[in-house]
């Protein structure tokens, strides 16, 4: 399996912070914001905009990211025995409305739902680098070489992400 664009940075960030070797790391985002409703005691409300979901030989670990770039490793939010965690995935679309422009953006995600002892969490993994409205860009034919290279890069990254998510879910499926 080829690594995603952020995987090397994630592995470097986690070196020395994660007590076990990292098998798989996913860059995940909250499926829904719950801070105002449920408070900080619920795991979903402690998630950062960006987070690392990490699979190690014995645990599933979740780390919050933050800082100016949103990609600085912060705190470990939880660790659960791998043998007790189950995961399922489904495709979904998310959207964000921008009041300043009166427009919205939509994007596709792999919605991961993790369950286990003291764990009931849904997080999103961006399925593609572009937005839903950019499908015409991806489908164009006869593009200039530089543009085609970018299209190919987006397609490759989407395929790598889909493979990584699938591998993560299969690793947590009962035998």
């Amino acid at each position: 399996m080829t690594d995603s664009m952020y995987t090397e940075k994630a592995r470097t960030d986690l070196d020395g912070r994660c007590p076990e070797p990292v098998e798989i790391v996913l860059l995940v985002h909250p499926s829904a914001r719950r801070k105002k409703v449920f408070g900080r005691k619920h795991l979903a409300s402690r998630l950062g905009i960006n987070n690392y979901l990490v699979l190690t030989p014995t645990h599933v670990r979740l780390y919050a990211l933050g800082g100016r770039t949103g990609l600085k490793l912060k705190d470990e939010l939880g660790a659960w025995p791998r043998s007790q965690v189950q995961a399922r995935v489904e495709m979904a679309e998310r959207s964000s409305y921008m009041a300043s422009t009166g427009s919205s953006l939509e994007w596709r995600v792999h919605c991961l739902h993790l369950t286990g002892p003291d764990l009931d969490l849904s997080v999103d993994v961006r399925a593609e680098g572009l937005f839903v409205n950019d499908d015409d860009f991806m489908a164009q034919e006869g593009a200039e070489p530089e543009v085609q290279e970018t299209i190919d890069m987006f397609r490759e990254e989407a395929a790598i992400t889909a493979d990584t998510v699938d591998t993560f879910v299969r690793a947590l499926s009962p035998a």
Side-chain angles (χ1 to χ4, degrees):
M1 176 174 59
T2 306
D3 285 338
S4 179
M5 291 187 290
Y6 63 84
T7 303
E8 186 176 331
K9 179 187 179 332
R11 289 181 187 279
T12 301
D13 290 349
L14 291 163
D15 189 34
R17 295 278 303 269
C18 185
E20 301 178 272
V22 173
E23 291 182 4
I24 300 173
V25 61
L26 293 170
L27 181 65
V28 300
H29 317 283
S31 288
R33 285 305 221 182
R34 298 184 185 180
K35 281 184 182 174
K36 294 179 182 171
V37 178
F38 295 107
R40 302 278 300 160
K41 63 183 174 184
H42 289 6
L43 179 60
S45 67
R46 295 193 326 258
L47 291 173
I49 296 296
N50 299 309
N51 308 273
Y52 288 145
L53 184 60
V54 179
L55 188 65
T56 68
T58 63
H59 284 82
V60 174
R61 297 178 178 278
L62 182 64
Y63 293 89
L65 304 177
R68 290 180 72 150
T69 64
L71 293 172
K72 182 179 179 190
L73 187 62
K74 294 290 187 179
D75 302 319
E76 182 178 65
L77 300 176
W80 303 271
R82 179 176 170 159
S83 62
Q84 297 177 3
V85 175
Q86 293 185 0
R88 71 175 196 274
V89 64
E90 61 186 35
M91 292 301 295
E93 285 189 8
R94 303 288 186 233
S95 65
S96 179
Y97 178 74
M98 295 168 285
S100 62
T101 61
S103 61
S104 63
L105 292 175
E106 296 175 347
W107 59 94
R108 293 179 187 92
V109 298
H110 303 275
C111 183
L112 277 174
H113 188 85
L114 304 167
T115 56
D118 300 320
L119 176 64
D120 185 4
L121 178 69
S122 290
V123 292
D124 291 342
V125 179
R126 283 288 299 260
E128 303 163 346
L130 296 176
F131 297 98
V132 172
N133 294 339
D134 294 327
D135 286 344
D136 57 336
F137 172 77
M138 294 297 287
Q140 67 181 301
E141 294 181 23
E144 294 182 21
E146 298 85 14
V147 173
Q148 188 60 50
E149 186 178 324
T150 301
I151 292 169
D152 294 343
M153 180 196 68
F154 279 123
R155 286 184 180 144
E156 181 182 2
E157 185 67 18
I160 291 167
T161 300
D163 287 346
T164 305
V165 168
D166 184 53
T167 302
F168 184 92
V169 171
R170 278 188 285 116
L172 296 174
S173 298

